[in-house]
Each structure stands twice: as C-alpha cells, then as structure tokens.
C-alpha cells in the first residue's frame, strides 16, 4: 500500500510540474513572438526603401534592374539570392528548384506566361538552361517575389514565407506556417537583408532568440514530463490493478 501511495504522490507532483511548464511554455512563446513581431514590423518598414545593391554584389545589374521593374527593393532580392543559392547560378535543390533564386519549373511557367522572358531566344518551352541563366532566373524570381508581396498587401515577411512554403500554406495558417524550415528561412533572409543594407539588427532580435531558446527548452521539458507521467500511470495501474486511483 505504501508503495502505491508513493507512486500516487509522484503522479500528483508531475501533474503540478506539467501545469507549471505549460504556463511557462505559453508565456515564453508569447514573449518570443512579441519580440519577433517587432523585428518583422521594423523589417517591413525598412524593406520599402528602394536602395540599389552595391556594384560589387554579384549580378548587381540584373538585381537592380528587375527589382525596380517589379517595384520591390533590390536589397531584399539580393538577400533572397544569398539565402537560396549563395549566388551560385547552377544551384539545384533536392526538390528541383533551379538557379540563383531557386525557381521551381511550375513557378517559372506560371510567371513566364506574362513575362515571356525567352521570346526571341529560342522556340518552344523554356529549358533547364533557361532556368540556370542568371539574367532570366533573376527576372522570374524577382517578379514572383513581387507578386507574393502584392498578394500579401506589402507584407514582405509573409511574401518570404510564401516564397519558401508556398502561398497556400501562408493562407492556411494565417501567417508564417509552423514549419521549422520556413521560420529559419525568413529569419535568415532578414539577417542577410540587414547585412546587405549595412544596417544593425535591433537589440530585441537578440532578446527574441534568447526567449525562443528558453521556449524550446521548456517544450522539451514538457515532453519529458508527459513521458514520465505516462510511466507513472503505468506503474500505478500495475500496483493497484485498476485505473481508478484514490
């Protein structure tokens, strides 16, 4: 009997810990999200500046020309290229995205219906060599990013998320999808933009990272506690022979 009571006391203790961890998890998530929203707001304001990239930037002429044609910042186009391919024109992803801006063939065909970038270059459909062409790839990718930016009412953060995960995912979740890859991608492009624009990341970006780390740690502790509760439940059942504990 005393052994059963001991396990029951452990079960109650773990439930208390679980509640506290759940509260802390929600609290730290809220704080991290608040700081992250501040970063996004400041970024969205800054990215409206139509500043050209430095001539030392690879493919600067294409970036500046097509960004101005599409009505978005050349600096954010450069940031996307850095994040997507590190300015490697022959980059090819495992998912089949090509070139500097890692454009998928379906996206290429969709955007090219209006641009017709290969008119006069060759007959028929665009080929893989078109996808790899730095000029054509930058033009298509920039136009697509501009379309997404317009679709999401000038919110470049959501446009970047859609560029990575697709506009359908952004609409489904009403914001950045809860995909680790997409969240990391958006953060990476924003970081590149700050460097390309020669701007300093706001202090609260560091606060956001710290709170997100704490949030993730608490999340793991929460999972461990749930696992321990399940183990204790099993032990209580084995000890009492019933799921009805008193």
């Amino acid at each position: 009997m005393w052994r059963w009571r001991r396990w029951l006391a452990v079960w109650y203790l773990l439930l208390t810990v679980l509640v506290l961890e759940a509260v802390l998890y929600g609290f730290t998530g809220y704080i991290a999200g608040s700081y992250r929203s501040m970063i996004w707001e400041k970024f969205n304001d800054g990215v409206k500046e139509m500043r050209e990239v430095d001539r030392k930037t690879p493919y600067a002429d294409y970036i500046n020309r097509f960004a101005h044609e599409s009505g978005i910042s050349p600096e954010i186009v450069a940031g996307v290229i850095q994040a997507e391919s590190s300015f490697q024109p022959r980059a090819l992803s495992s998912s089949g995205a090509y070139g500097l801006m890692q454009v998928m063939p379906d996206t290429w065909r969709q955007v090219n219906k209006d641009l017709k970038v290969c008119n006069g270059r060759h007959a028929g459909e665009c080929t893989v060599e078109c996808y790899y062409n730095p000029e054509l790839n930058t033009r298509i990718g920039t136009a697509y990013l501009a379309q997404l930016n317009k679709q999401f009412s000038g919110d470049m953060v959501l446009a970047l998320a859609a560029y990575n995960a697709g506009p359908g995912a952004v609409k489904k979740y009403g914001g950045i999808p809860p995909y680790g890859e997409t969240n990391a991608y958006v953060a990476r492009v924003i970081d590149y933009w700050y460097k390309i624009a020669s701007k300093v990341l706001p202090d609260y970006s560091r606060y956001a990272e710290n709170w997100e780390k704490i949030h993730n740690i608490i999340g793991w502790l929460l999972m461990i506690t749930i696992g321990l509760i399940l183990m204790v439940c099993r032990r209580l059942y084995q000890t009492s022979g019933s799921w009805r504990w008193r």
Side-chain angles (χ1 to χ4, degrees):
M1 178 64 70
W2 67 269
R3 187 175 297 175
W4 174 77
R5 291 185 181 279
R6 185 183 65 181
W7 283 113
L8 188 61
V10 172
W11 183 69
Y12 280 122
L13 176 62
L14 287 173
L15 286 181
T16 303
V17 171
L18 181 68
V19 171
L20 290 174
E21 287 175 343
V23 171
L24 287 173
Y25 185 77
F27 175 74
T28 54
Y30 173 77
I31 296 297
S34 297
Y35 280 125
R36 189 60 64 189
S37 294
M38 292 168 65
I39 295 170
W40 294 338
E41 184 177 350
K42 189 174 181 65
F43 166 74
N44 272 327
D45 288 338
V47 82
K48 291 181 172 63
E49 299 175 11
M50 296 290 290
R51 301 194 314 175
E52 294 191 346
V53 296
D54 191 279
R55 295 294 173 183
K56 295 179 181 178
T57 303
Y59 309 107
D61 288 340
Y62 298 150
I63 292 170
N64 291 328
R65 187 202 322 168
F66 299 134
H68 279 294
E69 285 181 3
S70 300
I72 58 175
S73 166
E75 291 174 336
I76 193 58
V77 175
V80 168
I81 292 175
Q82 178 65 57
E84 291 286 354
S85 67
S86 298
F87 288 92
Q88 300 301 313
R90 307 280 308 177
L92 174 63
S93 74
S94 58
S95 60
Y98 291 85
L100 288 175
M101 297 191 72
Q102 291 291 275
V103 182
M104 296 290 288
D106 285 347
T107 300
W108 185 287
R109 286 188 285 269
Q110 169 194 326
V111 177
N112 199 36
K113 287 180 181 179
D114 295 325
L115 294 185
K116 297 178 174 56
V117 296
C118 286
N119 269 8
R121 291 175 180 263
H122 60 75
E125 293 290 326
C126 289
T127 65
V128 169
E129 288 308 309
C130 299
Y131 304 156
Y132 281 133
N133 183 292
E135 179 182 1
L136 303 181
N137 191 283
T138 303
R139 189 178 180 190
I140 291 287
T142 301
Y144 180 54
L145 182 61
Q147 287 178 10
L148 294 173
N149 189 50
K150 183 178 180 180
Q151 183 176 344
F152 293 102
S153 304
D155 190 327
M156 185 57 76
V157 172
L158 294 185
L160 292 173
Y163 196 93
N164 178 263
V170 175
K171 291 178 181 178
K172 176 182 177 180
Y173 290 100
I176 298 180
Y179 308 152
E181 177 189 343
T182 302
N183 280 270
Y185 174 82
V186 172
R188 193 164 64 250
V189 174
I190 291 175
D191 185 57
Y192 287 143
W193 176 81
Y194 269 97
K195 291 176 181 176
I196 292 168
S198 298
K199 295 177 181 289
V200 179
L201 275 165
D203 288 339
Y204 42 77
S205 66
R206 186 173 66 256
Y207 304 153
E209 291 177 3
N210 291 338
W211 279 103
E212 284 175 354
K213 288 177 182 177
I214 296 172
H215 180 70
N216 291 333
I217 290 171
I218 295 174
W220 281 108
L221 291 175
L222 201 59
M223 297 301 295
I224 292 171
T225 302
I226 292 172
L228 291 173
I229 288 174
L230 293 176
M231 289 173 59
V232 173
C233 285
R234 182 171 177 268
R235 178 65 67 176
L236 280 167
Y237 176 77
Q238 290 174 341
T239 304
S240 66
S242 171
W243 290 110
R244 299 180 66 182
W245 309 323
R246 297 179 182 176

